[in-house]
Amino acid sequence: MKMKQIAGWVSIALFFLSWGSHAQEYRNVDETIQSYPVSFASPKALAQRLAADFKTEPERVRGLFTWMATHIDYDMPLYREIARGGKVAFWYKSENDRKAQERAFTADLAVRTLRSHKAVCQGYTALFRTVCNELGIDCIDISGTAKSTLSQIGRLPAKSNHVWNAVKIDGVWQLVDVTWAAGNVNEKGQFVRRFNPAYFCTPPERFFLNHFPEDTRLASTVPSPNEFARLPLFYSTYLQSECELVSPTAGCLSTDRPVRIPFRFNGLPDDAELGYCFNGDRYLNRAVVSREGDATYFEVPLQPGQKGYLTVFLNNRSLVAYKIGSK
């Protein structure tokens, strides 16, 4: 069901500017969105409401982002069907035919997403792009690899498995992932709605920790494939916390003797509770932390030949994970 991103990269060496997406800046927008209807008749109707209530491009785009992330659920049955190879977007005979069918497919998908309140990433991006276009705001889709599972640590980006948006706000391209802002899938394979505003206008240096675009024209703004493979697995909590992992920055940890791996984070609040566990652990180990200025330190013991995965938790939510036993 993967769609190739449409034309729209004209003159792109895409330039992303990292102006903040802190919730405080958009509190009034988010509160206004809470009074919005659960449903809209069409993407145009949603765009008209946003245009009436908000006067600036940042506010309109934020309003769209917040409404979608709090009203559209990830469609797990559809995801499983796609994973089994049970869905094909469309067939085409020529380039002109592809473009025509792609436009029709996107328009139809946007409407279906709006009415069903369910989608996988293609539906989220189609609706987001369609409403932005109704608002006269440039928006494109970006396909690539999302690093979202432990097994991806240490592996090169594979076949594209995700799509997100870039939107031009006040003349500057910004990164947005409404799919990941809507919530997450729990250990039972169920979608849990949990609004994460950190995926709105995310600074590239953070966004590309767990997103790798397939378009090589973005190479100057992202890690190389090898660098991306070597990164730990950064969970959504990491982006939302606005902390910085200082060490260890390599996603694969290995040792031939007993050691205590030193961890350091900057920017964590004093009341942050840190813990860790290895796969197979029944309980979370509480980290014994020390603090110096903005830095938070703790250590995790590793044994010779130990294998598996290590996950660090912030306030009982997964923060960052590592593969143990591979160099």
Side-chain angles (χ1 to χ4, degrees):
M1 190 172 173
K2 174 181 172 292
M3 298 191 318
K4 294 294 184 182
Q5 66 187 43
I6 63 170
W9 293 93
V10 181
S11 75
I12 290 185
L14 259 181
F15 175 67
F16 297 111
L17 181 65
S18 304
W19 44 258
S21 59
H22 304 292
Q24 186 72 20
E25 298 178 50
Y26 295 103
R27 177 177 295 177
N28 292 337
V29 175
D30 293 347
E31 289 178 352
T32 300
I33 291 298
Q34 292 178 17
S35 67
Y36 270 39
V38 173
S39 299
F40 285 88
S42 66
K44 185 174 183 178
L46 175 53
Q48 289 174 336
R49 179 66 183 267
L50 292 166
D53 289 344
F54 305 112
K55 303 308 178 186
T56 69
E57 284 189 355
E59 290 175 333
R60 290 173 178 177
V61 177
R62 175 62 178 222
L64 171 60
F65 170 87
T66 300
W67 187 89
M68 286 185 58
T70 55
H71 287 83
I72 298 174
D73 291 337
Y74 194 81
D75 192 337
M76 290 304 299
L78 178 57
Y79 166 78
R80 295 186 183 102
E81 185 177 356
I82 294 170
R84 293 193 299 267
K87 281 280 184 179
V88 176
F90 51 79
W91 297 101
Y92 54 90
K93 299 178 181 179
S94 66
E95 183 62 16
N96 287 338
D97 183 34
R98 181 191 69 81
K99 291 179 180 179
Q101 290 204 48
E102 193 172 72
R103 286 192 295 270
F105 176 82
T106 299
D108 178 67
L109 182 57
V111 171
R112 285 190 282 120
T113 298
L114 185 63
R115 293 178 178 175
S116 69
H117 296 275
K118 292 183 179 181
V120 293
C121 56
Q122 290 92 342
Y124 282 96
T125 54
L127 179 57
F128 189 84
R129 174 157 56 96
T130 299
V131 177
C132 281
N133 290 342
E134 291 283 356
L135 290 165
I137 298 172
D138 290 338
C139 183
I140 59 175
D141 299 346
I142 301 178
S143 299
T145 300
K147 194 169 188 175
S148 58
T149 64
L150 294 169
S151 63
Q152 292 173 288
I153 302 172
R155 292 187 178 181
L156 291 170
K159 180 180 178 181
S160 293
N161 61 8
H162 190 45
V163 60
W164 56 92
N165 294 108
V167 57
K168 198 173 186 180
I169 304 175
D170 286 345
V172 177
W173 286 101
Q174 302 286 348
L175 294 161
V176 172
D177 190 336
V178 193
T179 310
W180 282 20
N184 59 275
V185 179
N186 65 18
E187 64 278 1
K188 297 180 181 178
Q190 302 167 326
F191 175 76
V192 179
R193 187 182 289 179
R194 180 181 287 121
F195 180 50
N196 188 342
Y199 285 104
F200 179 75
C201 298
T202 314
E205 64 271 16
R206 293 179 74 82
F207 192 88
F208 291 129
L209 291 173
N210 50 23
H211 292 68
F212 188 87
E214 67 179 4
D215 195 295
T216 57
R217 283 169 289 188
L218 291 175
S220 63
T221 65
V222 302
S224 70
N226 286 325
E227 290 169 338
F228 187 77
R230 288 193 293 267
L231 290 172
L233 172 59
F234 290 92
Y235 290 95
S236 295
T237 305
Y238 181 85
L239 272 75
Q240 194 164 20
S241 70
E242 299 186 358
C243 68
E244 177 192 5
L245 172 66
V246 179
S247 64
T249 56
C252 296
L253 306 175
S254 182
T255 179
D256 56 4
R257 57 187 177 84
V259 295
R260 300 185 67 85
I261 301 295
F263 280 77
R264 174 182 170 179
F265 290 90
N266 288 347
L268 287 172
D270 291 342
D271 60 353
E273 294 185 4
L274 290 163
Y276 64 91
C277 71
F278 299 96
N279 57 307
D281 286 353
R282 296 182 61 185
Y283 303 103
L284 190 65
N285 301 287
R286 187 181 182 89
V288 179
V289 304
S290 60
R291 294 184 171 86
E292 182 179 339
D294 191 46
T296 300
Y297 303 88
F298 64 95
E299 295 181 337
V300 173
L302 292 185
Q303 301 303 316
Q306 188 171 349
K307 295 182 182 298
Y309 297 97
L310 164 67
T311 302
V312 176
F313 290 78
L314 171 63
N315 298 330
N316 295 315
R317 294 183 61 187
S318 302
L319 184 68
V320 61
Y322 298 81
K323 185 176 182 179
I324 306 299
S326 297
K327 295 183 180 179

